[in-house]
């Protein structure tokens, strides 16, 4: 076996043949704070999340995505209905601690924009919907 392949296949606790241990460490002692790995046991996650918390977080993430989609659709159609729905879902997602915070904020912004478009259409044309042409 060549020296390079020996260096690749050694672990940090076992230096390659002929290598000097670094200052302050001994090859037989693991570094401070590290636990020796037991090859017989598979690696486990540090701590599983509480099932109720992860379920609520998934629901909050879904609300954030729904808020974004409804806000986006509301700019095109049914802004009277979809705008407030986007605002409510975005607010609920943020209060429940979503991991998709940016998407929830975008849903809030689009929901507010939907209502502004509705107000603009109502004041200029006297209508509550888009129309193209004359």
């Amino acid at each position: 076996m060549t020296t390079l392949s020996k260096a690749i296949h050694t672990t940090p606790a076992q230096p390659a043949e002929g290598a000097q241990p670094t200052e302050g460490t001994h090859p037989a002692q693991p570094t401070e704070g590290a636990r020796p790995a037991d090859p017989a046991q598979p690696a486990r996650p540090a701590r599983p999340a509480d099932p109720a918390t992860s379920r609520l977080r998934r629901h909050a993430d879904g609300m954030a995505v729904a808020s974004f989609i409804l806000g986006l659709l509301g700019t095109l159609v049914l802004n009277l209905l979809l705008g407030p729905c986007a605002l409510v879902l975005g607010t609920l997602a943020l209060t429940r601690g979503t991991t998709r915070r940016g998407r929830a904020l975008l849903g809030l912004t689009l929901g507010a924009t939907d209502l502004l478009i509705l107000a603009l259409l109502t004041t200029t044309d006297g209508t509550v919907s888009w129309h193209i042409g004359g």
Side-chain angles (χ1 to χ4, degrees):
M1 199 179 233
T2 65
T3 309
L4 179 59
S5 62
K6 284 183 184 179
I8 292 173
H9 294 294
T10 58
T11 61
Q14 301 170 341
E17 277 183 29
Q20 296 294 324
T22 58
E23 186 178 322
T25 62
H26 188 271
Q29 296 175 344
T31 58
E32 186 176 324
R35 292 184 296 176
D38 185 11
Q41 292 183 349
R44 291 183 293 166
R47 203 168 139 196
D50 183 27
T53 305
S54 64
R55 188 183 77 228
L56 288 175
R57 181 75 41 100
R58 279 195 316 260
H59 286 285
D61 290 347
M63 281 189 243
V65 172
S67 171
F68 170 70
I69 291 171
L70 290 177
L72 194 59
L73 287 175
T75 58
L76 302 173
V77 294
L78 298 173
N79 47 6
L80 180 62
L81 177 67
L82 298 179
C85 288
L87 288 172
V88 168
L89 286 173
T91 304
L92 282 174
L94 287 174
T95 57
R96 292 185 181 180
T98 182
T99 57
R100 298 177 184 226
R101 184 174 169 79
R103 199 152 294 158
L105 290 172
L106 206 57
L108 284 172
T109 305
L110 288 170
T113 303
D114 294 346
L115 295 178
L116 288 174
I117 289 172
L118 176 67
L120 181 69
L121 287 173
T122 305
T123 57
T124 57
D125 291 343
T127 184
V128 292
S129 64
W130 289 94
H131 66 277
I132 297 175

